[in-house]
Amino acid sequence: PGKRAPPSVSFEPKVRLNTKPISATAEATVAKDGVTLFLDNLQDLSKKKFAPRVKAERKVTVSGKAYAVDAELALKGNVKTADVVTVSVKAPAVAGFVPKASYSTGPKGASVTMTGDVGGGDTNVELKAEHFPKKAGANVALTATVTQKLPEKMKAKLTLKDDLSGSVELHKGAAFLEAPLGKGGKPPGVGDVVFKYKKTFEYDL
């Protein structure tokens, strides 16, 4: 048998500049053989608040076409006051766009996503529709995300919801800056910028 892939470990601290004093959060993931353990809010370990998420991914072939199926369990305390299970299915591409459908037992309910590259591959577009069954009023939310490759191996990412709120991100290597947009596209202030950094390691166990 061939050599099995080693597990990968990612560490992602986040520094928020709009709090006094400046606050920081940290997340980590451990992945191996299609199973990923998400260690969210590591800064709260001292408070004995430990509620990880676990996701398992598998490939399923139907009529000669490959589908990616994953199931995620978020333990009580990670998202809400109960365990939340999310199941997703990613289908083969249609006209260059990959469809994905998800269903969650939590407040997010169901969602459908279409993702694809345009402009020769330099631009990635994602369109997402989400249904929140317990939300009063308009319980369907639409989100568009555009990621653009830039010179010097940089990339910019714009996310907009149907109320024109969202975020702007600028990535360079493992580090990136994120600035939120308010409703109606209200620009962020300097103190709203969040600095993030993600580093991945591989361990040959």
Side-chain angles (χ1 to χ4, degrees):
K3 184 179 179 181
R4 302 183 71 180
S8 63
V9 178
S10 297
F11 179 66
E12 185 174 357
K14 304 174 185 178
V15 179
R16 297 188 176 277
L17 306 178
N18 59 341
T19 57
K20 295 181 180 181
I22 293 175
S23 65
T25 59
E27 301 173 357
T29 60
V30 181
K32 182 174 174 62
D33 298 332
V35 177
T36 304
L37 174 64
F38 298 88
L39 306 174
D40 301 320
N41 299 315
L42 291 176
Q43 75 281 355
D44 291 334
L45 281 179
S46 60
K47 303 176 184 176
K48 298 182 179 180
K49 294 182 179 180
F50 184 64
R53 292 178 291 133
V54 181
K55 182 168 72 173
E57 302 173 88
R58 291 291 182 268
K59 298 288 186 180
V60 178
T61 301
V62 179
S63 300
K65 295 184 178 181
Y67 293 77
V69 181
D70 65 67
E72 179 183 294
L73 169 63
L75 296 180
K76 176 181 178 180
N78 185 294
V79 181
K80 288 292 182 181
T81 56
D83 297 342
V84 174
V85 176
T86 303
V87 179
S88 302
V89 178
K90 183 184 293 185
V94 178
F97 280 76
V98 176
K100 180 179 180 180
S102 300
Y103 177 78
S104 172
T105 61
K108 287 189 176 182
S111 68
V112 177
T113 305
M114 297 289 288
T115 307
D117 292 331
V118 296
D122 289 337
T123 305
N124 180 268
V125 177
E126 178 183 286
L127 303 175
K128 186 175 185 178
E130 298 174 279
H131 177 247
F132 301 88
K134 297 181 180 180
K135 183 179 179 180
N139 55 8
V140 175
L142 303 177
T143 304
T145 302
V146 178
T147 303
Q148 176 67 48
K149 292 181 180 179
L150 301 174
E152 304 298 329
K153 296 182 179 181
M154 298 177 67
K155 64 180 180 180
K157 182 177 180 180
L158 171 65
T159 300
L160 284 179
K161 299 181 180 180
D162 43 16
D163 62 359
L164 297 183
S165 66
S167 64
V168 178
E169 299 177 14
L170 184 62
H171 294 245
K172 173 66 174 177
F176 63 101
L177 296 173
E178 180 182 22
L181 298 175
K183 288 185 178 182
K186 181 181 178 181
V190 176
D192 296 325
V193 176
V194 179
F195 174 78
K196 301 181 180 181
Y197 183 85
K198 184 174 184 178
K199 184 64 178 177
T200 301
F201 308 89
E202 287 191 349
Y203 293 90
D204 195 357
L205 301 179

